[in-house]
Amino acid sequence: MSSNNKDVALALAARGLHVFPCNADKTPKVKAWEQNAVSSAFKIEAMWRNWPDALPSIPAGAHSLVVFDCDRRQGKADGVQAFIDLCAANTIDTSKFFVVETPSTGLHFYFRTDVPYSNSRGSLPDGIDVRGVGGYVIAPGATLPDGRSYRQIAGSWDAIPALPGALASALKGKSPAVVPGPSVSPVVTDREREYAQAALADECSKVAASEPGTCNAILNIAAYSMGTMVGAGWLEYETAANALWEATSHNWTFTWPDGKTKAEATIKSGLNAGIEKPRTSLTVSRVQATQSQDVVLTPFSSIQRASIKWLWKGYLPLGKLVLLAGQGGVGKSTLACTWASVITTAGLWPDGTRCAFPGNVLIWASEDAADDTIGPRLDAAGADISRCYFIGGRADNNGVARSFDPAKDMDSLNRVAAQIGNISLLIIDPIVNAVTGDMNKSNEVRRALQTFVDFAATHRCVVLGVSHFTKGSAGQNSAERILGSSAFKDFARTALVAVQDEETGECAMARAKTNIAVNSGGFSYRIESVHFPPDIETIRIIWGAQLEGSARSILSKYEKSSKEDAPKRHAAKQFLIEALNNGPAAANELIKHAREGYGITEDTLREAYAEIGMKPSRIGFGKGSVSMWSIPLATHV
């Protein structure tokens, strides 16, 4: 059904309110919903393009609101009548109340307050709930899939009344920095709790001793670090938030105008960002351990199982290093900018799936300029450039500017990335320039790449390293063609390769190596010129068809196999035309028949299949689905 929910969200944002999407059952569609509430029309368009029927919701405490949620449920206390009676008993004028009627005929009463209140109903009568700091409400105007809506029936956004004292006295106050935390991990050891307490004390001491100009950054790093432990269940959210809040009171720099407000916001955002990146368990079992230096063994019974998380399923795994390598001129850097666009706008991947949520992208390009090359490519790809960051240099101890150096600056990059939060992609272009030593020596490459592997794991993002093919490597194993030491492909969890057909200009990107997904398939694409007034010329990627087969077979088609292979492909084409003349057939059966009956390899058969112009289809669902091959009508004999 069509819904006006996006229009409602945009109207609220125009008033300066931050919104986020909820399901029909009122549960958030996004994690860290308070942190990810937005007022950007562009970002709202992206969210509701993904979830058109999502209910726009408002974080109450973030807007200095407290909302009384009064229910009317059959067989239970009538919260609406109880609230009206409470107001009458305290002679509270209800004529200017801001009131929203819910789909279940309950009422939401909105009030403004400078005092933070929790979501506890305190001493209020049954049937009345409270939404304060760390709470949210479905916004007035939101429409459920069945057509029922949240209707504003009284009052005005411009004149929401202050919370009456009589109602305030019934509520439970809350530290300004505290919002509800996640559920506690089912297995938390004393060692982890002690570790978290010691870390909290250390971070608080750093906050208290921080100097002007650095204090807010140090507070953010501290909050993020503690959030990772809250996310793992080692520490209560309120404990961390209150301790950090207390630490700011011992530092006079947090008393500047609006300093406390900024500190509150920093603590909240830092903790929420850290919660999204929970620490790995410290649970270990020592076998015959007699000294602290003994090797520690972790029983698999204590290791919580986790599934691979994907930015783009099958291609870009979160928390991992990915390589994109290929010939010169195939648009590798432009491909990376195209993916940055999908990520920053929660757009569509080439296979039609959608990026789950907009994220931030960091780009280190040691050979391309930000202003005349990378920036225009991001613009041409349609990226949200407010979410894209170019990694520049920093000043040395003498104040002299120098370029970013991965060997020296990764700690700094980790800190500023934590401050920004929600990092989804780090692009290193080219990745060979990140190796200080010899790129052909395994030990030196491993040492350089480890910092990026650690960055990916810490920020739960994809690190994409752009590289080149070794000259004269056409026809070899695709992953082995990547320039430099084999450590490049060994460290990467996924290696993607790209080539171009020199005659047609068409390009292809394929999976050459992965140990966490299907190791085949890819997409065709072409590179298109784009002109921006007055005189900016750049390029962008236009995606084509989805490709099947191994990377080697896909690449060989585009790089034109040798003349010696032509007779084999001709024989394979004839086999396919004859086998499929009467209709589609299962691909696996065709491959087996060609190999056993005619000595035609799978790669040759797939090359012939692609040259004929066939398009695969799939019948069935899930693991039981079958790939079917057929030939175009014009090819039938």
Side-chain angles (χ1 to χ4, degrees):
M1 60 166 283
S2 61
S3 171
N4 69 339
N5 287 336
K6 181 185 73 174
D7 294 335
V8 171
L10 290 170
L12 292 169
R15 289 185 169 277
L17 294 169
H18 288 64
V19 297
F20 65 93
C22 274
N23 296 298
D25 63 359
K26 299 188 287 187
T27 57
K29 279 188 172 292
V30 296
K31 294 181 179 180
W33 50 265
E34 189 171 31
Q35 177 195 7
N36 287 311
V38 298
S39 60
S40 162
F42 186 90
K43 296 173 184 176
I44 289 172
E45 291 279 1
M47 285 183 182
W48 266 266
R49 185 166 59 245
N50 194 20
W51 303 302
D53 292 333
L55 306 180
S57 306
I58 304 169
H63 292 293
S64 299
L65 294 174
V66 61
V67 180
F68 289 73
D69 180 2
C70 305
D71 292 326
R72 283 187 175 127
R73 295 176 182 171
Q74 188 174 4
K76 295 186 177 181
D78 187 335
V80 172
Q81 189 59 51
F83 184 79
I84 293 173
D85 291 343
L86 180 63
C87 290
N90 290 277
T91 62
I92 298 173
D93 181 10
T94 62
S95 62
K96 297 182 179 180
F97 279 6
F98 184 91
V99 187
V100 176
E101 183 180 55
T102 71
S104 59
T105 72
L107 298 179
H108 289 171
F109 295 90
Y110 286 60
F111 298 97
R112 294 200 178 277
T113 176
D114 293 329
V115 178
Y117 291 98
S118 71
N119 295 311
S120 169
R121 64 185 180 89
S123 59
L124 291 171
D126 291 343
I128 304 176
D129 291 321
V130 176
R131 303 291 179 260
V133 174
Y136 64 89
V137 288
I138 307 300
T143 303
L144 292 170
D146 61 11
R148 294 180 300 150
S149 65
Y150 289 76
R151 299 187 307 116
Q152 181 182 335
I153 60 175
S156 165
W157 278 111
D158 298 322
I160 295 178
L163 177 65
L167 297 179
S169 64
L171 300 181
K172 181 181 179 182
K174 193 166 199 178
S175 166
V178 176
V179 296
S183 58
V184 176
S185 173
V187 179
V188 180
T189 66
D190 290 340
R191 179 187 176 201
E192 289 162 346
R193 293 189 183 94
E194 291 170 0
Y195 181 94
Q197 289 294 340
L200 179 59
D202 181 59
E203 294 293 350
C204 287
S205 66
K206 293 177 183 177
V207 170
S210 58
E211 298 179 357
T214 64
C215 53
N216 200 59
I218 289 174
L219 177 61
N220 184 68
I221 294 170
Y224 177 84
S225 177
M226 300 321 301
T228 64
M229 299 181 202
V230 172
W234 304 355
L235 190 67
E236 293 294 331
Y237 195 108
E238 292 193 9
T239 300
N242 288 332
L244 292 169
W245 177 255
E246 177 67 18
T248 65
S249 67
H250 295 290
N251 189 324
W252 68 269
T253 56
F254 287 101
T255 62
W256 69 79
D258 299 325
K260 286 299 182 183
T261 301
K262 292 180 180 179
E264 293 170 22
T266 298
I267 292 172
K268 290 178 185 179
S269 63
L271 284 172
N272 286 334
I275 287 170
E276 292 297 300
K277 318 282 187 181
R279 287 290 190 97
T280 303
S281 174
L282 297 178
T283 303
V284 295
S285 173
R286 293 179 178 271
V287 180
Q288 296 180 344
T290 58
Q291 300 179 17
S292 59
Q293 294 86 354
D294 286 345
V295 171
V296 294
L297 302 179
T298 305
F300 276 91
S301 59
S302 69
I303 298 176
Q304 188 173 356
R305 304 302 189 263
S307 59
I308 298 293
K309 300 295 188 296
W310 297 92
L311 195 56
W312 176 18
K313 190 169 184 180
Y315 291 87
L316 300 177
L318 287 168
K320 311 293 182 184
L321 173 65
V322 176
L323 286 185
L324 171 61
Q327 305 166 333
V330 298
K332 298 183 292 295
S333 301
T334 309
L335 280 171
C337 288
T338 302
W339 294 338
S341 173
V342 175
I343 292 163
T344 57
T345 63
L348 295 176
W349 296 110
D351 58 8
T353 60
R354 186 174 292 281
C355 184
F357 198 80
N360 294 322
V361 175
L362 308 180
I363 302 174
W364 179 54
S366 57
E367 297 177 354
D368 290 328
D371 55 355
D372 62 16
T373 303
I374 302 173
R377 288 177 183 174
L378 290 170
D379 292 336
D384 178 355
I385 56 175
S386 68
R387 287 184 170 274
C388 299
Y389 298 84
F390 183 80
I391 301 174
R394 59 186 303 194
D396 61 18
N397 294 333
N398 297 317
V400 178
R402 62 171 177 78
S403 300
F404 174 80
D405 184 349
K408 300 176 181 177
D409 299 330
M410 285 304 292
D411 286 344
S412 176
L413 181 61
N414 272 289
R415 286 194 296 272
V416 295
Q419 293 171 27
I420 296 170
N422 196 26
I423 304 298
S424 293
L425 178 67
L426 167 61
I427 299 171
I428 305 296
D429 184 10
I431 197 167
V432 293
N433 284 3
V435 180
T436 303
D438 188 338
M439 69 176 183
N440 294 300
K441 291 185 178 180
S442 179
N443 288 340
E444 295 185 11
V445 171
R446 288 177 177 274
R447 185 163 50 248
L449 295 187
Q450 186 61 55
T451 60
F452 295 113
V453 171
D454 293 342
F455 185 96
T458 298
H459 298 277
R460 296 287 179 90
C461 69
V462 176
V463 172
L464 178 68
V466 179
S467 188
H468 302 283
F469 277 164
T470 302
K471 291 182 179 181
S473 61
Q476 298 179 14
N477 178 284
S478 302
E480 299 296 336
R481 298 175 63 181
I482 297 173
L483 184 67
S485 165
S486 62
F488 281 106
K489 69 176 180 61
D490 293 341
F491 252 57
R493 295 302 86 199
T494 298
L496 308 174
V497 291
V499 293
Q500 184 180 51
D501 185 322
E502 294 182 358
E503 294 180 6
T504 66
E506 183 175 299
C507 302
M509 183 274 296
R511 284 179 288 202
K513 173 247 176 171
T514 177
N515 57 4
I516 54 178
V518 176
N519 192 19
S520 63
F523 293 87
S524 66
Y525 65 93
R526 59 187 175 86
I527 302 171
E528 179 181 80
S529 296
V530 180
H531 174 79
F532 291 114
D535 58 356
I536 295 177
E537 296 287 342
T538 188
I539 54 177
R540 67 181 177 186
I541 299 297
I542 303 297
W543 291 105
Q546 188 163 359
L547 306 174
E548 286 194 346
S550 67
R552 190 170 186 173
S553 67
I554 292 173
L555 267 59
S556 66
K557 172 198 170 184
Y558 281 78
E559 291 183 305
K560 303 301 181 186
S561 299
S562 63
K563 293 181 180 180
E564 289 78 4
D565 291 333
K568 297 179 182 178
R569 290 198 307 279
H570 178 74
K573 289 179 185 178
Q574 290 300 116
F575 166 80
L576 286 171
I577 292 171
E578 293 175 7
L580 299 174
N581 190 51
N582 293 323
N588 59 347
E589 294 180 2
L590 285 170
I591 292 169
K592 180 179 180 182
H593 185 42
R595 182 179 64 250
E596 296 178 354
Y598 297 87
I600 300 172
T601 67
E602 179 179 347
D603 282 353
T604 300
L605 193 68
R606 288 187 181 275
E607 291 170 18
Y609 174 83
E611 287 184 14
I612 290 175
M614 300 179 181
K615 293 187 177 181
S617 61
R618 188 167 289 275
I619 60 173
F621 301 92
K623 294 181 179 179
S625 64
V626 177
S627 177
M628 302 293 292
W629 286 5
S630 60
I631 58 177
L633 292 176
T635 313
H636 282 271
V637 295

